[in-house]
Amino acid sequence: MEKEQLFALLDDFKIETPSWGYADTGTRFGKFLQPAAAGTIDEKLADAGIVHRYTGCCPTVAVHVLWDFSMGVDATATAKVAQNHGVRIGAINPNLFQDQVYKFGSVTSPDERAQSHAHRHVTDSIHIAKAVGSNVLSLWFADGTNYPGQDDIVTRKQRMHGALRQWHDAMPQDMLMMVEYKPFEPAFYHTDIADWGMAYIFAKDAGPNAKVLVDSGHHYQAQNIEQIVAWLLDEQMLGGFHFNDRKYADDDLTLGSIDPYAVFRIFHEIRNAAEWRNCDVSQIAYMVDQSHNLKPKIEAMIQTVTTAQEMFAKACLVDRDKLRDAQARIDVVDSETCLRNAFFTDVRPLLGEWRKRHNIDPDPLKAYRASGYQQRIAKEREAARAARGGNAGSAYA
Ligand code: PSV
Ligand code: MN
């Protein structure tokens, strides 16, 4: 691939960062606070703006409704704050798992109060989306059961069908619904949307604007994620990604920190779909879903984004003519070598050049560190937190 062609693809490659990735988060065993962590939606948007400034490819920020919006507060004001920080509000994530009423699930719960609470919340979320100019409603359900026999699996499936259809109908025409799946956690016997097949069936049934969201941390260990991506693309049912890496389960580690080749293989399937099958991949929503418990939040986000760009660029560099030819000759070694050659190409100088063209420092992390932003906000936010009297605004507070 010619350099100019690669640069044009990089121009279109945008990554959405999550508001919750800038806040203090923890594990179920505890939370270690960082003085520079964002405590309010304004601070989260400011940090997202910084990531966009140093990377040039993160113009939107995913928000989590309960963590980022207070009922009664004008959501358009939040959109303005985002604009002031050089970003826009992206995917709207309703929170269907945190309230006490969701003990046995949200829309799939046998408790009708939980169902109607969820309906009200998603309706509110659609209003917020309209108010902030977002066209993505991103749904993840913690719904499921912990014990065999606890509830009827198929009745719960039908409840989910009904809710998704209803919400799809309530969305404006240009809004997309993303249906995310996860095999387990917090439900430990069965999860109502446990895998991509279930998400596919629900999305297909909900309506034409519903697609599947692939969170890279939401699979069993040996699962071939790129095959799922390839199939969903071929079925025109891939909505987008929640990027993160993991060693064991849904670990929320930095993308590519454990297995960068797996990330490359996902992008390779996307480029195959685009270049070999003329598939429109321009609408895929690339989003990050990570909680950095140990790393400084903004540094980890910059690392994530630059890794995504690197793996994407490497996948663009696969010599697809050679690959076609090797596959036609059934030369397994040559075919695999096409992928390996691209993967082992050092694309960092190319990305540096691309950044310079966009007036961005070729080394975003180094430039960010040199800016002193982190030290400044650590001081400011500690003072603000003390004045507020706590650690409000944190995802798991
Ligand atoms: C659940 O594990 C999940 O992946 C969903 O996308 C949630 O919205 C997000 O994490 C919350 O951190
Ligand atoms: Mn996710």
Side-chain angles (χ1 to χ4, degrees):
M1 175 177 288
E2 298 296 321
K3 188 168 80 179
E4 291 309 318
Q5 217 182 331
L6 173 66
F7 281 12
L9 289 170
L10 283 168
D11 287 347
D12 290 338
F13 184 64
K14 306 284 184 236
I15 305 162
E16 181 162 306
T17 69
S19 66
W20 57 97
Y22 300 104
D24 271 324
T25 50
T27 68
R28 61 202 162 106
F29 302 105
K31 182 155 97 176
F32 298 102
L33 307 181
Q34 295 186 16
T40 64
I41 180 65
D42 290 29
E43 291 173 354
K44 293 173 195 175
L45 292 169
D47 293 356
I50 290 291
V51 171
H52 182 44
R53 186 192 300 172
Y54 286 97
T55 60
C57 66
C58 303
T60 57
V61 188
V63 289
H64 231 289
V65 175
L66 281 194
W67 300 336
D68 294 328
F69 294 92
S70 308
M71 288 307 152
V73 171
D74 181 11
T76 54
T78 305
K80 289 234 173 62
V81 174
Q83 202 184 358
N84 290 340
H85 291 297
V87 287
R88 282 175 286 117
I89 303 289
I92 305 291
N93 291 254
N95 185 310
L96 298 160
F97 47 88
Q98 194 173 288
D99 290 342
Q100 290 297 314
V101 71
Y102 297 142
K103 184 168 179 182
F104 300 109
S106 62
V107 283
T108 67
S109 170
D111 180 350
E112 282 176 15
R113 285 174 313 133
Q115 296 174 19
S116 40
H117 195 71
H119 280 296
R120 264 198 311 279
H121 181 61
V122 173
T123 308
D124 287 343
S125 300
I126 293 173
H127 286 138
I128 289 176
K130 285 188 203 162
V132 299
S134 163
N135 62 356
V136 176
L137 182 72
S138 192
L139 299 172
W140 173 70
F141 299 87
D143 293 40
T145 62
N146 271 13
Y147 295 98
Q150 179 185 322
D151 196 7
D152 181 56
I153 289 174
V154 175
T155 305
R156 294 177 71 100
K157 172 177 180 279
Q158 286 160 358
R159 291 183 192 126
M160 179 66 78
H161 269 307
L164 294 183
R165 275 183 215 135
Q166 195 177 323
W167 298 339
H168 188 280
D169 289 350
M171 293 191 320
Q173 295 259 308
D174 64 345
M175 195 172 281
L176 272 183
M177 174 188 279
M178 305 271 179
V179 183
E180 185 174 352
Y181 57 90
K182 181 171 178 172
F184 67 92
E185 197 205 18
F188 290 114
Y189 168 59
H190 104 281
T191 294
D192 288 303
I193 312 183
D195 65 25
W196 73 276
M198 298 179 200
Y200 174 96
I201 288 171
F202 282 128
K204 196 88 185 164
D205 179 81
N209 287 2
K211 307 275 174 208
V212 177
L213 189 153
V214 177
D215 183 314
S216 44
H218 292 188
H219 302 88
Y220 290 116
Q221 282 288 3
Q223 199 147 11
N224 184 331
I225 302 174
E226 62 268 28
Q227 183 182 7
I228 296 172
V229 171
W231 275 56
L232 287 173
L233 278 167
D234 199 44
E235 296 293 327
Q236 293 169 12
M237 286 301 283
L238 179 69
F241 292 92
H242 271 180
F243 281 142
N244 50 67
D245 209 341
R246 61 88 181 273
K247 176 79 180 138
Y248 301 102
D250 188 19
D251 307 337
D252 271 348
L253 300 179
T254 313
L255 182 74
S257 56
I258 304 293
D259 188 355
Y261 194 41
V263 186
F264 163 86
R265 295 193 307 265
I266 288 174
F267 286 129
H268 170 62
E269 289 304 329
I270 294 172
R271 293 312 309 157
N272 271 355
E275 292 179 40
W276 281 356
R277 285 178 270 281
N278 218 7
C279 173
D280 178 11
V281 295
S282 66
Q283 300 308 310
I284 299 174
Y286 297 112
M287 301 177 275
V288 175
D289 183 4
Q290 290 172 182
S291 303
H292 307 111
N293 298 329
L294 307 182
K295 290 177 177 173
K297 318 281 175 187
I298 296 176
E299 291 187 5
M301 205 61 83
I302 292 175
Q303 244 192 342
T304 303
V305 170
T306 52
T307 301
Q309 282 184 311
E310 285 167 22
M311 296 308 130
F312 175 76
K314 285 170 190 270
C316 291
L317 293 183
V318 171
D319 187 332
R320 288 194 166 70
D321 290 337
K322 254 195 188 160
L323 179 59
R324 261 248 151 96
D325 174 65
Q327 289 181 349
R329 291 185 286 105
I330 320 184
D331 187 326
V332 181
V333 171
D334 273 3
S335 301
E336 188 202 7
T337 302
C338 286
L339 269 67
R340 292 171 59 85
N341 283 346
F343 179 69
F344 288 111
T345 304
D346 185 0
V347 293
R348 287 172 297 183
L350 275 169
L351 279 164
E353 202 180 322
W354 176 83
R355 289 186 186 113
K356 273 197 199 147
R357 274 203 198 174
H358 292 275
N359 294 321
I360 302 166
D361 194 286
D363 187 339
L365 187 57
K366 196 166 153 212
Y368 165 72
R369 283 188 162 172
S371 75
Y373 180 81
Q374 189 160 311
Q375 290 76 358
R376 183 165 63 74
I377 57 168
K379 272 202 200 118
E380 286 174 10
R381 288 177 186 178
E382 263 193 323
R385 247 187 295 272
R388 276 200 307 271
N391 190 40
S394 147
Y396 300 100

